[in-house]
Amino acid sequence: MFNYTIDNKRYHTLNYHLKKTFGKKVYKAVIDAGFTCPNIDGSVGFGGCSYCLSGSGEFTNDSCLSVTEQLKKEYERISKKHAHPEIIAYFQAHTNTYAPIDVLRKKYEEALSFPHVVGLSVATRPDCIDEKVADLLEEFSEKTYLTVELGLQTVKDETAKNFNRGYTYDVFLYAYKLLKERGVRVCVHIINGLLGETKEDMINTAKMVGKLHPDAVKIHLLHILKGTEYEKEYNENRLIPLKKDGYVDIVISQLEYLPQNTVIERITGDGSKENLIAPKWSLDKISVLGAIDKEMAQRNTHQGIFLLDETCDL
Ligand code: SF4
C-alpha cells in the first residue's frame, strides 16, 4: 500500500510534496550566485568531478547578475507558462556554502527578500558544511522552507575516488548529521551510471541512503557532457552509458529501498541538449518517466516496499 500519492504514482513525487506543503505547485528559480567549488579552485582538487560541466549550473543565468536580477529573469521565464507563480530560489551552480558566513547570509537574504519567493534550496558539498555553516542554515530553516541539496552520488569511496569527488562517505555522514541535528531539510543526490559501478553498487547506495531516512533524494542518470573528463573515458570506451531499460530497472530497485516519506525530487537526469553526448535517450524525459510508471505497475511494487528495518546510527 502506497500512501503518498494523489495521481496513482508509486513513488513520492516532488509535485505531491509541494502541493501538500504549499497547497499548490511552486517552481524552482535557478541561481548562479558566483561561488566556486573547492574541487575546482585547488583547495581540495583541480578540474572538479569527472562529470562536472560549469559547476552543474547549466541552466542558470549569468553569475555577473545579482541574485535579485537573476530571480527577476527567472520569475519572468516561469510566469510565461504559469500565472502568478510562487518560487523557490535555488542556489544551484557550484558550491553554495563555499564562502564566508556573512557573504552567504547576504546572498540568501537577498533571495528571500524577492517577492514571490517562498523558500530556498542550497546545493552544496558535504566538505563545505561545518558547525558555523550548519548554524546559519538552521537560522534560515527557521524562517523559510529551506532544503540543503547535499551531493553524495555513491556510498562507494572507490568509485568516488575514480571520479575525483574529493571527500569520503564518512565526510558526507558528518555533514548530514550536523544538518539533521539542527532540523534542516536535506535532499541527498545520487547518480546512476558512474564509471566502474555495478547495478548492485547503485542499489547498495539506495539501501544505505534509505537507512538514513532523508527528507528527500534526487536520483540522477549520469550524463556524459562535452568537455568533461568523462567525455574522454567515453571516447576511449571505458565508460559505457546505461541503457534505458537498465536504468528503469535500477531506479525501481532503488525506490524499493527508500522510505515512503522520502520525497523523490528527481528520478532522471536533466542535461542541456547541446552539451549531452550520451545517453541520448535521456532527452525524452516523458518516455523515461512513463517507462518507470509502467514497469512499477507491472511489478506491482512501490517505493519503500523492501525498506530495511535498521536505521543508520550517525
Ligand atoms: S562538487 Fe559539484 S561543482 Fe564541484 S566539481 Fe563536483 S560537480 Fe562540480
Side-chain angles (χ1 to χ4, degrees):
M1 175 73 181
F2 187 65
N3 299 317
Y4 297 83
T5 184
I6 36 173
D7 52 7
N8 292 327
K9 288 276 185 187
R10 289 165 179 260
Y11 58 93
H12 192 152
T13 63
L14 181 60
N15 192 27
Y16 174 86
H17 169 72
L18 291 176
K19 278 188 181 158
K20 286 275 166 194
T21 308
F22 294 98
K24 63 183 207 171
K25 203 167 160 64
V26 298
Y27 303 86
K28 290 250 177 103
V30 291
I31 298 169
D32 181 341
F35 300 122
T36 179
C37 170
N39 204 21
I40 293 176
D41 73 3
S43 306
V44 170
F46 290 105
C49 304
S50 301
Y51 50 78
C52 177
L53 178 73
S54 337
S56 313
E58 279 181 87
F59 300 110
T60 49
N61 288 293
D62 191 338
S63 64
C64 295
L65 298 175
S66 70
V67 166
T68 306
E69 287 164 335
Q70 291 185 49
L71 283 172
K72 197 164 172 266
K73 280 184 155 233
E74 280 292 274
Y75 187 75
E76 281 163 13
R77 176 184 66 80
I78 297 164
S79 299
K80 281 184 190 150
K81 288 191 190 160
H82 310 280
H84 314 297
E86 290 191 330
I87 52 179
I88 292 173
Y90 180 19
F91 287 83
Q92 184 188 34
H94 292 103
T95 302
N96 294 282
T97 58
Y98 186 47
I101 295 290
D102 54 331
V103 174
L104 297 176
R105 177 179 278 114
K106 223 172 140 199
K107 299 265 187 196
Y108 303 160
E109 271 170 358
E110 187 179 346
L112 260 191
S113 67
F114 187 82
H116 323 289
V117 166
V118 292
L120 299 179
S121 271
V122 174
T124 191
R125 296 165 54 89
D127 57 358
C128 292
I129 302 277
D130 59 16
E131 300 233 351
K132 281 190 181 146
V133 170
D135 287 345
L136 178 75
L137 292 165
E138 180 185 20
E139 187 187 314
F140 277 86
S141 182
E142 280 164 3
K143 54 183 169 192
T144 191
Y145 171 86
L146 170 78
T147 303
V148 174
E149 311 238 357
L150 205 53
L152 171 62
Q153 327 316 355
T154 174
V155 297
K156 195 172 171 186
D157 282 340
E158 192 190 327
T159 310
K161 208 170 170 191
N162 284 337
F163 75 75
N164 194 34
R165 186 174 66 184
Y167 55 85
T168 60
Y169 182 48
D170 281 348
V171 170
F172 166 84
L173 287 175
Y174 177 69
Y176 184 84
K177 182 172 180 240
L178 288 180
L179 294 169
K180 291 318 300 169
E181 280 170 351
R182 288 162 174 78
V184 176
R185 183 172 191 270
V186 178
C187 177
V188 180
H189 287 220
I190 63 176
I191 298 182
N192 291 332
L194 293 163
L195 178 62
E197 291 245 302
T198 63
K199 175 179 170 182
E200 288 65 38
D201 291 332
M202 296 176 232
I203 295 171
N204 189 46
T205 288
K207 281 184 188 170
M208 303 282 278
V209 169
K211 285 196 226 172
L212 295 171
H213 289 256
D215 303 284
V217 169
K218 277 190 181 172
I219 304 177
H220 298 268
L221 162 69
L222 176 75
H223 279 165
I224 301 164
L225 302 175
K226 282 181 196 155
T228 61
E229 274 304 303
Y230 265 180
E231 180 185 12
K232 291 181 204 152
E233 302 285 357
Y234 173 74
N235 288 338
E236 288 164 22
N237 292 325
R238 283 192 294 272
L239 177 57
I240 313 294
L242 289 172
K243 294 202 163 57
K244 184 174 160 189
D245 287 356
Y247 182 74
V248 167
D249 177 46
I250 290 164
V251 164
I252 293 173
S253 301
Q254 291 176 316
L255 290 173
E256 289 173 336
Y257 288 103
L258 293 171
Q260 288 203 12
N261 60 354
T262 294
V263 182
I264 309 301
E265 297 208 358
R266 181 175 291 284
I267 203 162
T268 180
D270 210 1
S272 73
K273 204 173 173 180
E274 62 265 29
N275 290 322
L276 182 71
I277 293 172
K280 294 282 192 198
W281 56 260
S282 65
L283 290 171
D284 188 353
K285 250 175 94 173
I286 292 176
S287 143
V288 180
L289 296 176
I292 292 169
D293 289 343
K294 194 171 161 204
E295 185 62 21
M296 288 186 93
Q298 221 145 40
R299 292 190 200 178
N300 193 22
T301 190
H302 59 74
Q303 181 178 337
I305 198 170
F306 297 143
L307 180 66
L308 304 173
D309 281 341
E310 328 130 56
T311 49
C312 177
D313 287 332
L314 289 168

